[in-house]
């Protein structure tokens, strides 16, 4: 990631962001598919691979279910968590219980209940067995880092033979040696390459329009932090979104996003929303071309959860219960 995530500086984790990360992680874990070896043999199209993907013994495959259609329910009798606040991978600013968040312990008693089915509890040991010889890559901002950390903390509770390294340019990663399962996080704000831009003495189209400084965003060039990830990982989970509309970083007047495509500025100038659409289209094509055999997911954003201002302008996380449908922002 080219710039530090503002959420890292906020010393409390919100109820909403914690719960949203849990349901996204749970949904993805049950939708992932598998392969048989790191050299991609046998092929994903082989009967053996498809048998692993659609194991008839799994109840949750028998009746398709929309895991996103449901509600958070309070479960006073919830079982013990798979990991606690002592997991070293949890960033200090996001450790709800260690930071003495008023409702920190209560977060563990909320669970996601799909409307038309049950969501089985993740079994870390069984997960490692089923994902043997699989590499999983999370690519994105702090939302994906939360999911990466949660998965790693759960798996470390089931296997302590772990190699820590940075595969394919990842910010961090772990291989669970007894199972040859790799989980890595590639840190990127926008998915695409960007950096500071300043007007030069050689007048160009942007200078002629009055732009003096800003951020150059190449919508067709992947950020180098994950450019090799599709060649390495069997399963890829992408996210982006919040940073595209972050005035604390990309001020529309002082430091606007200036979009480039094929090395040339996009004119007339387009809004960040249009730039995001352009970037996503290019990145989908890139991943499909480079990661032919990989299984890909794109997770959506969680709602903004600061009230009374943004994270650096007096905003705080006041709510201690999940938002009801009519309270979504």
């Amino acid at each position: 990631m080219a710039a530090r995530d503002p959420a890292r500086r906020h010393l409390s984790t919100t109820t909403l962001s914690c719960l949203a990360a849990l349901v996204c992680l749970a949904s993805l874990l049950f939708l992932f598919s598998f392969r048989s070896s790191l050299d991609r043999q046998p092929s994903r199209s082989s009967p053996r691979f498809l048998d692993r993907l659609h194991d008839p013994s799994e109840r949750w495959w028998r009746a398709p279910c929309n895991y996103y259609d449901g509600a958070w329910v309070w479960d006073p009798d919830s079982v013990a968590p798979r990991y606690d606040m002592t997991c070293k991978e949890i960033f200090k600013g996001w450790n709800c219980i260690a930071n003495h968040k008023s409702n920190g312990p209560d977060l563990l008693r909320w669970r996601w209940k799909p409307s038309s089915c049950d969501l089985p509890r993740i079994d870390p040991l069984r997960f490692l067995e089923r994902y043997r010889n699989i590499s999983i890559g999370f690519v994105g901002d702090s939302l994906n880092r939360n999911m990466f950390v949660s998965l790693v903390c759960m798996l470390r509770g089931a296997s302590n033979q772990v190699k820590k390294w940075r595969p394919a340019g990842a910010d961090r990663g772990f291989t669970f040696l007894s199972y040859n399962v790799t989980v890595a996080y590639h840190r990127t704000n926008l998915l695409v390459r960007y950096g500071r831009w300043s007007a030069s003495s050689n007048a160009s189209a942007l200078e002629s329009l009055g732009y003096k400084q800003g951020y150059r965003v190449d919508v067709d060039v992947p950020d180098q932090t994950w450019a090799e990830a599709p060649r390495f990982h069997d399963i890829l989970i992408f996210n982006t979104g919040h940073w595209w509309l972050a005035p604390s970083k990309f001020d529309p007047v002082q430091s606007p996003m200036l979009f480039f495509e094929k090395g040339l500025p996009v004119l007339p100038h387009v809004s960040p929303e249009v730039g995001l659409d352009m970037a996503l289209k290019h990145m989908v094509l890139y991943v499909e071309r480079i990661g032919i055999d990989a299984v890909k997911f794109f997770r959506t954003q969680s709602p903004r959860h600061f009230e009374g201002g943004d994270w650096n302008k007096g905003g705080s996380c006041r709510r201690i219960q999940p938002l009801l449908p009519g309270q979504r922002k």
Side-chain angles (χ1 to χ4, degrees):
M1 187 181 292
R4 184 174 294 275
D5 192 330
R8 287 171 172 255
R9 305 174 197 173
H10 199 280
L11 293 181
S12 66
T13 305
T14 69
T15 303
L16 181 58
S17 61
C18 289
L19 296 177
L22 287 173
V23 69
C24 290
L25 178 61
S27 300
L28 286 172
L29 294 181
F30 287 106
L31 291 175
F32 286 161
S33 56
F34 308 88
R35 71 170 186 174
S36 294
S37 68
L38 284 177
D39 62 359
R40 303 188 185 276
Q41 296 293 331
S43 167
R44 284 193 173 82
S45 61
S46 70
R48 182 179 176 185
F49 179 80
L50 294 177
D51 286 345
R52 295 178 69 188
L53 177 60
H54 299 289
D55 185 347
S57 67
E58 299 290 344
R59 284 189 307 158
W60 55 278
W61 275 118
R62 296 178 188 176
C65 179
N66 181 1
Y67 291 105
Y68 298 95
D69 178 15
W72 290 103
V73 296
W74 176 259
D75 185 358
D77 300 321
S78 58
V79 295
R82 294 300 190 189
Y83 61 94
D84 60 23
M85 64 181 181
T86 62
C87 180
K88 295 181 180 180
E89 284 307 303
I90 305 175
F91 183 72
K92 292 181 180 179
W94 300 338
N95 198 325
C96 302
I97 297 176
N99 284 324
H100 307 293
K101 184 174 175 63
S102 61
N103 67 322
D106 291 341
L107 292 174
L108 304 177
R109 301 194 180 279
W110 289 95
R111 64 180 179 86
W112 181 255
K113 176 63 176 68
S115 299
S116 58
C117 62
D118 291 321
L119 186 62
R121 192 174 189 229
I122 297 171
D123 183 333
L125 185 58
R126 188 163 181 267
F127 180 95
L128 289 168
E129 290 284 1
R130 291 290 303 273
Y131 280 72
R132 188 179 293 273
N133 302 320
I134 299 299
S135 180
I136 303 167
F138 292 87
V139 179
D141 57 28
S142 59
L143 297 181
N144 257 8
R145 179 178 172 177
N146 277 333
M147 294 177 65
F148 161 80
V149 167
S150 182
L151 178 57
V152 168
C153 288
M154 281 191 287
L155 298 183
R156 294 200 73 157
S159 176
N160 58 10
Q161 296 183 352
V162 183
K163 172 188 175 183
K164 186 175 182 179
W165 61 310
R166 300 172 61 185
D171 182 70
R172 60 191 63 206
F174 299 88
T175 294
F176 295 84
L177 299 175
S178 298
Y179 305 89
N180 197 26
V181 172
T182 296
V183 184
Y185 168 60
H186 299 260
R187 182 183 175 195
T188 175
N189 288 339
L190 308 180
L191 293 183
V192 296
R193 184 178 70 189
Y194 76 97
R196 295 291 307 187
W197 177 91
S198 298
S200 64
S201 56
N202 299 322
S204 70
L206 289 175
E207 282 91 345
S208 66
L209 293 175
Y211 291 103
K212 297 181 179 180
Q213 62 182 0
Y215 282 89
R216 171 173 173 159
V217 180
D218 288 275
V219 296
D220 54 345
V221 181
D223 193 342
Q224 64 177 358
T225 59
W226 70 272
E228 292 301 313
R231 302 182 193 272
F232 182 87
H233 297 298
D234 303 287
I235 299 169
L236 290 160
I237 305 98
F238 295 93
N239 93 289
T240 190
H242 280 308
W243 276 90
W244 291 81
L245 299 173
S248 58
K249 177 69 174 182
F250 304 111
D251 184 276
V253 176
Q254 299 299 324
S255 55
M257 303 175 92
L258 304 172
F259 300 104
F260 283 69
E261 187 175 27
K262 297 181 179 179
L264 299 174
V266 176
L267 297 174
H269 180 68
V270 298
S271 66
E273 292 91 342
V274 175
L276 171 58
D277 287 342
M278 295 175 65
L280 290 178
K281 290 176 182 178
H282 280 293
M283 293 305 98
V284 167
L285 292 174
Y286 175 79
V287 173
E288 291 293 339
R289 184 176 70 253
I290 303 301
I292 298 175
D293 293 330
V295 180
K296 305 101 175 173
F297 298 93
F298 187 88
R299 59 159 296 189
T300 56
Q301 301 179 54
S302 66
R304 297 287 293 172
H305 46 257
F306 293 105
E307 298 183 64
D310 209 342
W311 68 273
N312 61 341
K313 295 183 179 179
S316 61
C317 313
R318 302 170 183 172
R319 298 182 184 271
I320 62 174
Q321 293 186 357
L323 292 175
L324 298 174
Q327 296 175 320
R328 294 172 184 168
K329 294 189 288 183

